[in-house]
């Protein structure tokens, strides 16, 4: 999940990735952006890991100034094109696991499905960087893949096979992802379309956020429709938190 990987994905983002913007069934993320815009009149926002800029125009409409960053030149080019008419957005190419943000902490930090790198070391550096970018009394909006959702999908797949007449042993074996190591499973690093991707338990992401001196405002599901040949709906965790 390095820069080359994300540059490749960004070329066909809509086809390669479950876009939160396009699949958020209840419009929860959009609703949160709108509410934050009202809570911080004349506020400043950051779109961390903006990708191809699906959410950046919404942020631009609700905030006075928006800084959007990503480490992919391909994603940033598309994001800039999407925001051509938005004069209050600045773009930065930076790697949040290594570079510090070249601008001040802001009122609203928006970070959707970015803290998903499999390396704990990289992830922690990225997370601390993101957390420090939230001004005191500012708001963090984090969306991360749900471990529980992944687990429920597995459970449903096993039961469906048993329903189709398979033995329990064979259903379990046929649903197990053989590439996943025990260490990865322990760390919530699960295979998503063959790519090692960090997933979070609800309690885990809450603890992570609290440990950086945030007060949790709300944790809820961002629900998605079933994808591909799956009949099961999935969800990510959305965390809204206020910096003390
Ligand atoms: C799943 S996409 C989400 C894009 C966008 N937030 C959205 O929801 O539409 C993850 C984004 O995080 C960016 N990203 C991943 N690791 C990064 C890093 N170390 N520094 C900066 N951006 C990173 C990727 O380039 C990609 O655009």
């Amino acid at each position: 999940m390095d820069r080359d990987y994300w540059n490749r994905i960004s070329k066909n983002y809509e086809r390669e990735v479950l876009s939160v913007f396009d699949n958020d069934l209840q419009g929860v993320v959009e609703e949160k952006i709108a509410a934050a815009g009202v809570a911080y009149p004349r506020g400043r926002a950051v779109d961390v890991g903006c990708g191809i800029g699906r959410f950046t125009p919404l942020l631009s409409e609700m905030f006075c100034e928006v800084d959007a960053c990503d480490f992919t030149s391909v994603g940033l080019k598309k994001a800039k094109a999407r925001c051509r008419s938005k004069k209050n957005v600045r773009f930065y190419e930076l790697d949040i696991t290594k570079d510090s943000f070249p601008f001040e902490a802001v009122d609203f930090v928006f970070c959707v499905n970015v803290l998903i790198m499999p390396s704990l070391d990289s992830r922690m550096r990225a997370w601390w960087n993101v957390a420090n970018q939230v001004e005191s009394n500012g708001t963090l909006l984090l969306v991360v893949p749900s471990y529980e959702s992944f687990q429920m999908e597995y459970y449903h797949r096993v039961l469906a096979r048993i329903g189709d007449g398979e033995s329990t042993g064979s259903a379990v074996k046929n649903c197990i992802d053989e590439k996943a190591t025990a260490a990865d499973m322990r760390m919530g690093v699960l295979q998503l379309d063959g790519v090692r991707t960090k997933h979070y338990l609800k309690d885990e992401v809450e603890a992570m956020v609290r440990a950086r001196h945030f007060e949790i405002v709300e944790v809820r599901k961002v629900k998605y429709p079933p994808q591909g040949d799956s009949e099961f709906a999935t969800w990510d965790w959305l965390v809204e938190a206020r910096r003390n």
Side-chain angles (χ1 to χ4, degrees), residues 6 13 49-51 55 70-72 94-97 112-114:
W6 280 114
Y13 187 84
C50 63
F55 286 105
D70 204 281
F71 69 173
T72 61
L94 59 93
D95 180 344
I96 58 164
T97 66
V112 172
N113 280 343
V114 179

Side-chain angles (χ1 to χ4, degrees), residues 34-44 61-65 107-108:
V38 172
Y40 299 101
R42 291 196 297 283
R44 292 171 305 133
E61 278 153 29
M62 296 310 299
F63 289 87
C64 269
E65 285 177 42
D107 306 297
F108 185 64

